Amino acid sequence: MNRKNIYNIRATQSFVDVLAERFIARYKDNPQDLADVLFLLPNRRACQNLTNAFVRQSGLAPIILPHIATIADTDEDEVYLNATPNILPALRPAMDNTERTFIFTRLIMQSSKFALKQISLAQAYALAQNLGKLLDMINSKELNLADLQNLVPEEYSRHWQQTLLLLQIITAYWPQILQDEGKIDMVERRKDLLRAEIALWKAQDNGKKIILCGTTAAFPYLKELAECVVNLNGG
C-alpha cells in the first residue's frame, strides 16, 4: 500500500474547508484542471458540504468545481463505455427496492405461513421495509444468511425460532424469487458496479486524481475501493 497517498485532517479543523482550501491552492495556476478531480464521499450531505466549502474558500468568486460524488454513485456510463468485455458480463440487473418491499409485504400478509397473528397492511409494509434494511446490511457486510440460525443463545431459542420463520422471507423465499427473475438486490448491483469501476481504474491508471475521503471503509467492498485508490498514480 502506498502510504504516501494517505492524509489526515485534525478533528479540530473543518474537514471540508481544509480539503477545498488545499485543492484550490494546488490548482490556482490551472483552475480548469480542477474539474478533472473526482472526490468520493460517504453520502450526499457530505457532497453538498464539500461543494459549499469550495464556494466559501474561493471567496464566492466564480470557480470550476471538481466532480463530487457519493461512493455509492458509481459512474455506470463510464463503466459501460470504457470497460473491457471481461468486466461487463459480471454486471447483473437489479430488483428495484420498492418492488422488493411490495413483494415482502405480500409474503408477510400470508401470516399463517410465518406464525404471525392478524397484521394490518400498514404493519406488514413497515415490517417489509425493516426486512429490506436488514437484508441490505447483510449484503453490505457480505455476511452469510445461514449464520442467522445460530445468532441467538439457546435460552432465547424458543422466541428466536418464531422470528426465524419470518426471516425465511429473506433467507429462503427471496433468493429463489431473485433467481427466477434473473436479478439481484440493489446493494449487490452497486457492489458489482463499484468493483467493475475499480477494475477499470486499475486497467487504465492514467493519473486521474481520485480522492476518497471521510470514510472508514467499514464494508469489504469499500476496503477494496480504498486499497485501489491509494495505489493509483493519481489516488
Side-chain angles (χ1 to χ4, degrees):
M1 180 177 286
N2 186 359
R3 298 187 182 277
K4 291 182 179 179
N5 289 344
I6 301 176
Y7 298 89
N8 181 56
I9 295 174
R10 294 177 184 274
T12 54
Q13 296 177 292
S14 168
F15 185 80
V16 292
D17 283 294
V18 170
L19 277 176
E21 180 187 10
R22 295 296 173 85
F23 277 85
I24 288 174
R26 181 179 296 184
Y27 288 91
K28 64 180 180 180
D29 295 330
N30 298 289
Q32 68 278 3
D33 291 343
L34 186 59
D36 294 327
V37 178
L38 170 61
F39 284 89
L40 295 172
L41 292 105
N43 51 55
R44 296 186 188 280
R45 182 177 180 179
C47 290
Q48 186 59 56
N49 288 342
L50 182 57
T51 299
N52 294 341
F54 269 102
V55 174
R56 278 197 304 273
Q57 293 301 320
S58 68
L60 301 181
I63 182 174
I64 300 175
L65 289 172
H67 183 192
I68 302 173
T70 67
I71 295 169
D73 287 339
T74 309
D75 193 337
E76 190 166 345
D77 290 338
E78 181 186 14
V79 172
Y80 275 100
L81 288 172
N82 300 309
T84 55
N86 63 312
I87 294 176
L88 291 177
L91 299 178
R92 301 161 289 175
M95 177 77 76
D96 181 76
N97 281 347
T98 301
E99 185 177 0
R100 181 183 69 180
T101 302
F102 287 148
I103 292 172
F104 284 0
T105 302
R106 188 179 72 244
L107 290 171
I108 292 168
M109 291 300 289
Q110 300 170 359
S111 55
S112 59
K113 195 175 289 186
F114 302 112
L116 292 174
K117 295 181 179 179
Q118 262 192 332
I119 186 171
S120 71
L121 180 60
Q123 289 171 323
Y125 184 81
L127 190 53
Q129 288 181 310
N130 287 332
L131 280 175
K133 291 176 182 177
L134 174 62
L135 184 59
D136 287 343
M137 183 187 70
I138 290 171
N139 286 337
S140 294
K141 292 182 177 292
E142 300 187 358
L143 303 176
N144 190 341
L145 285 171
D147 293 338
L148 287 173
Q149 298 282 346
N150 306 313
L151 192 62
V152 173
E154 266 187 46
E155 57 264 33
Y156 301 111
S157 61
R158 180 180 174 186
H159 301 290
W160 180 238
Q161 291 306 315
Q162 295 176 347
T163 303
L164 285 176
L165 287 174
L166 179 62
L167 291 178
Q168 284 181 356
I169 291 175
I170 62 175
T171 60
Y173 290 89
W174 186 238
Q176 186 60 51
I177 291 171
L178 287 176
Q179 183 176 334
D180 293 343
E181 294 286 334
K183 295 182 178 180
I184 57 175
D185 274 302
M186 288 294 293
V187 167
E188 293 293 337
R189 170 70 174 177
R190 285 198 295 270
K191 284 160 56 178
D192 280 356
L193 280 169
L194 187 60
R195 282 174 170 142
E197 192 155 50
I198 287 172
L200 181 62
W201 288 342
K202 286 180 177 179
Q204 293 179 337
D205 199 6
N206 53 13
K208 176 182 174 69
K209 281 289 181 185
I210 301 175
I211 317 299
L212 178 66
C213 44
T215 176
T216 57
F219 301 140
Y221 65 96
L222 293 182
K223 291 177 182 176
E224 293 176 36
L225 174 65
E227 184 177 2
C228 169
V229 169
V230 80
N231 286 304
L232 292 174
N233 287 324

